[in-house]
Amino acid sequence: MPLPPRWLRRLLLAPGVVLLAILVVTTLPVWAFAALALSPLVPGRLRPLRLLWIGCLYLVWDAAALLALFGLWLASGFGAWKRTPTFQRAHYVLAGHFLRVFFWQARWTLRLSIDVVGTDPDTALPGRPELVLCRHAGPGDSFILIHALVNWFHREPRIVLKDSLQWDPAIDVLLNRLPSRFIAPRSDRQESVTAQIRHLATGLDDNDAFVIFPEGGNFTPRRRVRAIARLRSLGLERMALRAERMQHVLAPQPGGLLAALDAAPDAGVIFVAHTGLDRMLTVADIWRELPMDKRIVMRFWSVPPEDVPTGKQERIDWLFDWWARIDEWIAAHRDGAGAA
């Protein structure tokens, strides 16, 4: 479904979410009673009630974020100063508070725990900007990564993400005010996409983190097969063979990384893998896993800028080497083994 223009999203979607949140909260006892009545008929401990709670929480969280963002818009002179350093910082602080509340509730409701192992951005290259490359799999992994960068490592992320995420009004408003790029992946726009990524990665300062998901979407077996077929259709047989050997990740798309490295040659590079959400590929999978009772492990590897290859093909091979390493780590740890 095509995304409506921004003015229409602001006039309809954002107020609609706030009104819907008010309606749901005022009728919550009715919904809670219905969910409680259904719970004995559904496998799992209070599964409908937990799902109702997390859904209501997300809706109210979204509406509260929109109201807070509206307050910042007013305070910034009806948006006139929203891109000044003071108000940019205010938006990052606001995002950190809302992410902290969301994950506090997620841990309580879904029994989630999040552990970070490896060399994180605080200890890897202090005082340097970072290019953060993360695998993409399972619900909410991008939220977890941004939560870690903002609240644990005190970084200001610049994010490359799908334009379809603008259907969420809070994400739409917040990230269109901060340095970010919503990308609609189309082969005929590749040069435009590369230019946008290069522009976003230009001028990173010491607490910035440029975040990109080189796979371009969440991992599923079907997408893995499609990605391999696409490499073959482009005549990239060697890359297709390498992608076939990787079972738990999609073939990375190097264009974004190449553009970011050219724009930020002094930045370090951090690769991020995670396990714990791998098996939740569909809505049915998420329903089956509730309550999740999951330990999510995020593994960071840090590469200093002097160790990043300089040639284009060398960088592409280097990215595939790292993605093969991430694939091996996932295979070794996705069933709850150690996270070294």
Side-chain angles (χ1 to χ4, degrees), residues 27-51:
T27 59
L28 186 58
V30 176
W31 296 106
F33 180 80
L36 192 60
L38 284 173
S39 292
L41 307 177
V42 177
R45 183 169 173 265
L46 299 177
R47 188 173 293 176
L49 197 60
R50 287 174 182 270
L51 187 62

Side-chain angles (χ1 to χ4, degrees), residues 214-227:
E215 294 160 303
N218 264 318
F219 172 88
T220 66
R222 183 177 298 179
R223 283 179 177 166
R224 174 180 172 271
V225 172
R226 285 207 306 262

Side-chain angles (χ1 to χ4, degrees), residues 83-101:
R83 300 198 185 278
T84 62
T86 298
F87 280 98
Q88 291 282 284
R89 183 58 195 157
H91 280 81
Y92 279 118
V93 170
L94 179 68
H97 285 319
F98 274 90
L99 286 169
R100 195 177 294 115
V101 169

Side-chain angles (χ1 to χ4, degrees), residues 224-225 227-233 235-247 249 251-252 320 324 327:
R224 174 180 172 271
V225 172
I228 294 169
R230 180 177 178 274
L231 290 173
R232 286 211 162 92
S233 71
L236 303 172
E237 180 64 24
R238 179 169 168 268
M239 293 170 68
L241 290 172
R242 296 197 68 180
E244 283 182 330
R245 291 194 290 269
M246 298 185 289
Q247 299 298 312
V249 294
F320 269 77
D327 182 67

Side-chain angles (χ1 to χ4, degrees), residues 99-100 103 107 114 143-152:
L99 286 169
R100 195 177 294 115
F103 280 99
R107 284 194 296 269
I114 305 171
F143 278 88
I144 295 169
L145 176 61
I146 302 306
H147 171 56
L149 291 173
V150 172
N151 287 321
W152 299 345

Side-chain angles (χ1 to χ4, degrees), residues 112-184:
L112 288 178
S113 64
I114 305 171
D115 296 331
V116 173
V117 296
T119 308
D120 61 58
D122 269 356
T123 57
L125 296 170
R128 284 189 189 270
E130 301 281 2
L131 307 181
V132 181
L133 283 69
C134 186
R135 62 109 31 149
H136 211 357
D141 62 347
S142 51
F143 278 88
I144 295 169
L145 176 61
I146 302 306
H147 171 56
L149 291 173
V150 172
N151 287 321
W152 299 345
F153 308 132
H154 310 292
R155 293 279 175 162
E156 296 184 349
R158 301 187 183 189
I159 313 169
V160 180
L161 63 171
K162 283 186 175 182
D163 69 337
S164 58
L165 289 172
Q166 292 174 102
W167 280 104
D168 184 310
I171 292 175
D172 183 18
V173 174
L174 175 66
L175 293 188
N176 273 303
R177 294 184 189 175
L178 292 173
S180 59
R181 288 295 182 277
F182 290 96
I183 302 297

Side-chain angles (χ1 to χ4, degrees), residues 179-190:
S180 59
R181 288 295 182 277
F182 290 96
I183 302 297
R186 300 185 187 93
S187 58
D188 60 335
R189 297 179 66 239
Q190 189 58 44

